[in-house]
Amino acid sequence: MSNNTLNIIYQNLLPHNGYTSYIPNFIKDTHSSFLHQLLNEVAWKHDELTLYGKKIITKRQVAFEGDEHIAYTYSKQEKMASPWSKIVLELKQKLEKELNTQFNGCLLNLYATGEIGMAWHSDNEPELESEGIIASLSFGATRTFQLKHKQSGEKIDVKLENGSLVVMDMHSQKHWMHQLKKEPKIKEPRINLTFRQFKNEVLK
Ligand SMILES: O=C(O)CCC(=O)C(=O)O
Ligand SMILES: [Mn+2]
């Protein structure tokens, strides 16, 4: 799907330099059943990374699912995808139908409380399709997602609600960073699923 087609469906939040949109209630989930299923069915693990020679265990829990042989380097380590769990596969198929595209990997994040966030970054790794999109689903507590332009510093805040979808193109990753703000008053968990499109040539 071209970005133009996406633009027609969902309004762009960015004034320039890329496409990012927010779609509330993309998944109808009034009883938070997706949050609970994902909490139970995904093999959540605290991420481990080595920073300045010190082993650090992140507060955030993660999982990486995908097609066979998909590998991704995050937190400075290459990870092989686990097979798709039933619930994540179901969500992937719904997204693929609605967005008329395919995803071959998904990075999952579990933020147990608002004290856990994710710092400013862009998802512009070389493994990802340069003309692809990232589709990001949120379940559980409403959290603030922020975008910041790399040159001008312009900032955009979006409240990500249960069942909502964010669609980002790769052009926006080049020019904008994003973060999940820490909000210590929030005591409930949130789960985020970022469906991604990996290049075929990096398949192992
Ligand atoms: O939790 C979120 O909404 C952001 C996650 C994110 O940016 C990422 O996994 O790269
Ligand atoms: Mn990201």
Side-chain angles (χ1 to χ4, degrees):
M1 170 177 273
S2 75
N3 297 332
N4 285 342
T5 324
L6 279 171
N7 256 313
I8 294 163
I9 308 175
Y10 308 126
Q11 201 192 336
N12 193 357
L13 294 172
L14 305 179
H16 51 84
N17 283 161
Y19 173 86
T20 294
S21 58
Y22 176 68
I23 304 98
N25 290 313
F26 179 80
I27 306 283
K28 309 278 174 284
D29 182 34
T30 35
H31 301 291
S32 296
S33 61
F34 279 97
L35 174 78
H36 294 114
Q37 275 188 77
L38 288 161
L39 281 171
N40 290 328
E41 291 177 27
V42 171
W44 298 106
K45 280 203 175 78
H46 288 277
D47 217 6
E48 287 182 9
L49 66 145
T50 311
L51 213 59
Y52 306 113
K54 253 178 83 180
K55 195 165 147 190
I56 294 181
I57 298 173
T58 60
K59 287 193 204 161
R60 182 166 47 91
Q61 292 173 71
V62 295
F64 179 49
E65 297 188 5
D67 292 355
E68 221 183 322
H69 307 306
I70 292 282
Y72 196 19
T73 303
Y74 60 91
S75 298
K76 300 195 160 79
Q77 276 178 321
E78 189 182 75
K79 318 261 161 95
M80 286 304 292
S82 309
W84 294 105
S85 58
K86 196 166 166 277
I87 175 84
V88 178
L89 191 61
E90 186 189 313
L91 293 165
K92 172 175 114 83
Q93 284 162 350
K94 179 173 168 59
L95 276 170
E96 289 179 338
K97 204 166 154 219
E98 296 282 333
L99 301 177
N100 189 26
T101 191
Q102 261 89 50
F103 298 98
N104 51 8
C106 180
L107 193 58
L108 298 89
N109 296 302
L110 165 56
Y111 308 86
T113 68
E115 281 174 38
I116 308 170
M118 193 185 284
W120 289 113
H121 70 280
S122 302
D123 295 303
N124 50 1
E125 290 85 359
E127 296 101 309
L128 298 175
E129 281 282 3
S130 51
E131 294 300 315
I133 57 168
I134 292 178
S136 167
L137 290 176
S138 294
F139 297 101
T142 300
R143 295 284 302 266
T144 310
F145 183 74
Q146 298 182 304
L147 293 142
K148 185 161 80 177
H149 193 272
K150 291 182 189 174
Q151 271 82 47
S152 68
E154 285 160 281
K155 244 183 178 179
I156 297 165
D157 283 18
V158 195
K159 299 271 185 205
L160 303 185
E161 294 168 351
N162 181 48
S164 68
L165 168 67
V166 168
V167 180
M168 301 185 270
D169 75 352
M170 288 302 146
H171 197 57
S172 72
Q173 304 295 339
K174 208 167 131 193
H175 298 281
W176 296 78
M177 294 191 292
H178 54 269
Q179 76 161 353
L180 191 79
K181 199 178 152 185
K182 286 188 185 171
E183 291 165 288
K185 286 196 183 124
I186 297 173
K187 303 296 175 204
E188 292 78 36
R190 169 176 178 270
I191 287 176
N192 170 252
L193 274 57
T194 53
F195 291 87
R196 298 168 190 239
Q197 300 174 319
F198 290 86
K199 286 177 188 163
N200 282 318
E201 59 260 40
V202 295
L203 302 187
K204 304 257 153 55

